[in-house]
Amino acid sequence: MENTEIARVFEEIADMLEISGGNSYKIRAYKHAALNIRELSKDLKDIYMGDEKNLRAIPGVGEHIAKKITELLETGKVKKHQELLKKISPQLLELMRVSGIGPKHLRVLHDKLKVNNLDDLEEACLGHKVRDLEGFGEKTEEKILVAVEEFRHFDKRMKLEPAEQCARAIIRHLKESKVKIDRIEAGGSLRRGRETIGDIDILVSTDKPEKVTERFISYPEAETVIASGPSKSSIFIKSGVQIDLRVVRDESFGAALVYFTGSKAHNVHIRKIAKFKGLKINEYGVFKGDKSIAGKEEEDIYRSIGLRYMPPEIREDRGEIEASSLNKLPELIELKDIKGDLHLHTDASDGRQTIVQMAEASRERGLKYIAITEHSKAVRVAHGLDEKELFRHIKKIERVDKKIEGIRILKGVEVDIGKDGALDLDDSLLKEMDVVIAAVHFRFDLDREKMTLRLLKAMENRYVNILAHPTGRLIGERKPSEIDFEVIFEEAASRNVAMELNAHYDKLDLNDIHCRQAKEFGVKVVISTDAHFVDGLDYMKYGITTARRGWLEKKDVLNTLECGEFLKSIKRS
Ligand code: DGT
Ligand code: CA
Ligand code: CA
């Protein structure tokens, strides 16, 4: 059992206890334990090693929780969890994922209106029954209804990080078989790095297709086999995700990879080009009459129809094929180009680790500089700091920076942008910072004009260097604020304010389309992780994927510069 699964069980216990009106102390204990388990860098089973006492060293894990972890590791289940699941249906629990609905709401909805699933909830809203419940009201009812519709739309797609984990696990399972696999790769939207993934596509080349198929459908996580044959199989795994497997001979691997990477629009376009040249292209190769002229490598497929190789991230038929034929493809940014991370939290606000720990972990990941950017006081839920506390904090940053070798730590802050665009901190503090990032944390729902004016106002402040996660979206949970990006980008370019591409896979904000638009407006982008714990630093790769999808090159991204150059580049006049 992986740490994330164990954490999920505890989170579910906490939620179910809360829905059923359980003891608030216990609820907190489960939540706290789940958080800490998620952030462990070691596997729980390696910490446990058959001795419950070893678990007690983990923060947030007392005797009670240690027992539950042991139970999970030993039996794969926890009785408490099973009991609660009998009381509270999975459909009810699932409603926790509808934006704006917490366990307390759910309890009222369930007790008073007998809401048990998404349909019930929608019906209750449409029948205007929700507005009369204590603590709800008309506005809340409207919001819930919108959230229900969004939930229906998003629910079927996975986010990038879990999709990647899922693909990694099945690839490992296939590779561990005795059958010789020549090549194996994930294709589809995952390979293109889309922000959400519908299903996982795995491509294998081998001389023993039947054996590979057998191995595939015997995946321990498989719940249902949808189809199985020597070239094509599909399964549902327990989490509800579909995995498609395609098996080809190695001489066709390149052609199959092009085909199954897509996008469909890209495929349709290249097929048209092939046809125009009197060629036929399919998942087995490129053919002139009956004769195969390419198939083994992706490069060969493209070359045979007069195109240069296009990285998967841009295969969306958004001009990449034209650019390729004219030899005008962008030289996309790569992870190794990144030298700094300009949005990090520590335990001084809502992060988990110290400045030193974050700095050391960043250095290990090859970064040359970071900015520590705690929340400001308005963001109370995240323990935002006031001016006095921040003055003290930046002194501390200075001290750590002096001591630590091999990485520069910049003084920064993530200042909250109020409803009217006013910043939450005084200029006398902001001017002490090396980097000021400004961001919205409340009232994401203003109309387009108000929201645009709000951001414009924030950018007026001459100490603001970066606008962080500009739309405020949480993929699948909170939709992006409506913003007139043309106006914002024009202003950002003229005032030299950079836009953040927040690399967290929940956010990816700016998104790919915005990145491309920012570039057209001459706006510079900074890709930052917003890490709240050291493992969060690894999410940089999702930011890079998104930047690549937005055609960004090294020169478009400011944190590819050395620290001194970076600081010069963000100077405002
Ligand atoms: P998803 O799964 O919804 O996130 O998106 P994809 O792009 O992974 O789509 P999927 O899984 O349906 O198919 C994988 C790839 O297979 C797709 O990107 C392109 C190729 N493909 C699927 N259906 C067709 C088709 O009808 N025509 C062509 N040319 N290619 C297709
Ligand atoms: Ca797919
Ligand atoms: Ca598929």
Side-chain angles (χ1 to χ4, degrees):
M1 238 185 161
E2 303 220 356
N3 290 0
T4 48
E5 288 173 68
I6 295 172
R8 206 181 52 216
V9 170
F10 286 165
E11 280 156 2
E12 283 186 10
I13 294 179
D15 290 340
M16 289 191 286
L17 281 174
E18 208 160 353
I19 295 168
S20 58
N23 175 318
S24 62
Y25 171 78
K26 282 215 172 123
I27 295 168
R28 265 205 308 277
Y30 279 113
K31 279 190 184 163
H32 195 59
L35 252 175
N36 285 306
I37 290 168
R38 274 191 191 281
E39 284 155 18
L40 289 174
S41 45
K42 263 173 99 176
D43 275 350
L44 268 172
K45 59 177 180 304
D46 296 334
I47 299 176
Y48 170 57
M49 296 198 305
D51 188 352
E52 198 172 305
K53 278 200 223 76
N54 294 335
L55 297 168
R56 303 280 296 276
I58 302 165
V61 175
E63 193 187 330
H64 179 73
I65 300 284
K67 272 210 174 66
K68 304 285 178 211
I69 298 176
T70 306
E71 200 184 333
L72 262 171
L73 288 173
E74 296 287 351
T75 69
K77 279 181 191 157
V78 171
K79 229 170 91 203
K80 181 87 199 162
H81 187 236
Q82 303 291 319
E83 279 169 22
L84 283 162
L85 278 174
K86 270 184 214 141
K87 276 207 280 184
I88 289 161
S89 72
Q91 289 94 324
L92 184 63
L93 194 59
E94 197 191 17
L95 294 183
M96 289 280 297
R97 288 169 46 219
V98 175
S99 166
I101 300 239
K104 290 203 185 73
H105 283 124
L106 218 53
R107 189 168 167 207
V108 178
L109 289 164
H110 177 69
D111 289 354
K112 304 272 178 210
L113 300 179
K114 308 231 171 331
V115 166
N116 272 312
N117 54 43
L118 201 64
D119 290 336
D120 293 349
L121 181 58
E122 187 178 31
E123 218 180 284
C125 288
L126 289 170
H128 297 315
K129 287 185 189 141
V130 174
R131 60 180 62 181
D132 298 328
L133 294 173
E134 202 180 317
F136 282 80
E138 201 175 321
K139 269 251 161 65
T140 309
E141 184 181 85
E142 277 165 22
K143 271 191 199 159
I144 293 176
L145 191 56
V146 173
V148 167
E149 301 314 322
E150 271 169 15
F151 185 77
R152 284 196 199 284
H153 174 71
F154 276 122
D155 188 34
K156 301 200 171 57
R157 301 187 65 84
M158 245 178 305
K159 289 186 216 182
L160 205 42
E161 196 260 359
E164 238 184 50
Q165 278 200 23
C166 180
R168 219 179 298 132
I170 183 78
I171 287 175
R172 200 184 314 131
H173 169 78
L174 289 169
K175 274 187 174 168
E176 275 165 5
S177 91
K178 292 192 194 75
V179 200
K180 187 169 161 283
I181 282 175
D182 295 314
R183 282 184 278 177
I184 181 163
E185 199 152 347
S189 51
L190 180 60
R191 184 162 182 247
R192 303 197 311 280
R194 273 192 67 181
E195 60 195 36
T196 61
I197 310 299
D199 65 15
I200 308 263
D201 303 284
I202 304 289
L203 179 65
V204 167
S205 63
T206 179
D207 292 335
K208 301 263 183 305
E210 287 88 1
K211 287 269 180 334
V212 172
T213 303
E214 224 171 83
R215 175 84 186 162
F216 178 66
I217 59 177
S218 72
Y219 186 41
E221 287 295 305
E223 181 141 283
T224 326
V225 176
I226 307 164
S228 92
S231 66
K232 209 173 136 180
S233 312
S234 290
I235 54 173
F236 276 128
I237 58 172
K238 286 175 193 148
S239 62
V241 173
Q242 182 176 334
I243 307 181
D244 292 344
L245 175 77
R246 303 288 180 138
V247 187
V248 296
R249 300 270 163 180
D250 203 51
E251 64 260 26
S252 292
F253 190 80
L257 193 55
V258 167
Y259 186 89
F260 295 115
T261 297
S263 66
K264 198 167 160 182
H266 175 94
N267 288 353
V268 169
H269 195 154
I270 59 172
R271 208 179 309 141
K272 214 187 298 166
I273 292 178
K275 203 166 168 194
F276 189 76
K277 293 184 185 280
L279 301 169
K280 204 181 105 199
I281 196 167
N282 60 28
E283 59 264 55
Y284 301 105
V286 182
F287 298 87
K288 190 170 207 165
D290 287 337
K291 192 171 161 268
S292 164
I293 61 164
K296 189 153 188 183
E297 306 296 338
E298 282 192 309
E299 281 83 352
D300 306 340
I301 307 297
Y302 288 120
R303 196 179 319 116
S304 72
I305 55 170
L307 298 174
R308 280 167 193 80
Y309 177 85
M310 289 154 270
E313 295 92 334
I314 60 171
R315 297 184 198 168
E316 297 289 349
D317 196 25
R318 292 181 186 153
E320 76 281 6
I321 294 169
E322 293 79 354
S324 160
S325 70
L326 299 169
N327 197 13
K328 289 213 164 113
L329 284 168
E331 232 179 275
L332 300 181
I333 184 168
E334 294 177 38
L335 184 58
K336 66 173 170 47
D337 296 330
I338 294 290
K339 300 204 170 70
D341 192 337
L342 285 309
H343 188 163
L344 301 183
H345 296 273
T346 72
D347 54 7
S349 64
D350 61 341
R352 301 273 137 204
Q353 272 122 356
T354 63
I355 302 173
V356 176
Q357 287 172 316
M358 293 304 275
E360 284 173 346
S362 302
R363 190 180 54 195
E364 265 167 40
R365 287 160 174 80
L367 296 183
K368 303 258 190 70
Y369 57 98
I370 54 172
I372 301 293
T373 54
E374 309 299 356
H375 288 289
S376 64
K377 56 186 185 280
V379 193
R380 265 189 229 111
V381 287
H383 309 291
L385 308 184
D386 64 18
E387 279 86 353
K388 236 169 91 188
E389 292 166 321
L390 277 164
F391 266 116
R392 243 181 284 143
H393 194 55
I394 60 179
K395 290 294 163 217
K396 190 166 166 191
I397 296 174
E398 276 173 3
R399 283 198 301 276
V400 177
D401 182 42
K402 272 213 190 91
K403 258 201 234 148
I404 202 162
E405 307 261 324
I407 187 158
R408 172 93 193 269
I409 312 175
L410 301 173
K411 292 171 287 180
V413 68
E414 178 179 8
V415 60
D416 181 61
I417 302 173
K419 185 174 163 230
D420 53 358
L423 299 184
D424 182 34
L425 294 169
D426 204 74
D427 281 2
S428 63
L429 175 76
L430 297 181
K431 79 176 204 299
E432 295 300 315
M433 299 291 175
D434 299 312
V435 189
V436 172
I437 66 183
V440 167
H441 297 93
F442 309 101
R443 297 305 310 271
F444 298 99
D445 57 336
L446 300 187
D447 67 33
R448 186 177 162 99
E449 196 187 338
K450 287 210 181 89
M451 201 67 197
T452 306
L453 287 171
R454 182 183 189 183
L455 297 182
L456 287 177
K457 174 90 174 119
M459 285 195 283
E460 263 177 33
N461 184 300
R462 53 188 289 250
Y463 299 111
V464 170
N465 305 114
I466 301 169
L467 198 61
H469 41 76
T471 77
R473 73 157 170 181
L474 290 175
I475 296 171
E477 286 164 52
R478 183 168 67 219
K479 61 176 188 193
S481 297
E482 290 195 34
I483 297 169
D484 188 338
F485 267 109
E486 292 194 5
V487 173
I488 296 295
F489 286 158
E490 210 166 298
E491 187 79 355
S494 84
R495 289 191 184 270
N496 197 33
V497 174
M499 292 290 142
E500 176 182 276
L501 190 187
N502 192 295
H504 196 294
Y505 60 87
D506 277 341
K507 294 193 171 130
L508 298 174
D509 180 15
L510 308 172
N511 69 18
D512 49 357
I513 308 265
H514 297 139
C515 283
R516 212 164 157 188
Q517 200 184 5
K519 180 175 178 158
E520 273 165 30
F521 276 82
V523 173
K524 296 295 184 209
V525 172
V526 173
I527 309 176
S528 295
T529 61
D530 202 351
H532 284 64
F533 45 91
V534 295
D535 287 352
L537 295 165
D538 296 327
Y539 301 155
M540 184 60 86
K541 64 179 174 191
Y542 304 117
I544 297 297
T545 304
T546 303
R548 288 168 66 86
R549 289 181 57 81
W551 292 48
L552 295 189
E553 302 179 271
K554 186 177 173 185
K555 65 176 166 27
D556 303 313
V557 177
L558 294 180
N559 50 327
T560 60
L561 297 169
E562 295 295 342
C563 188
E565 293 301 311
F566 169 79
L567 287 171
K568 261 188 241 162
S569 76
I570 58 169
K571 276 253 151 54
R572 294 182 57 174
S573 44

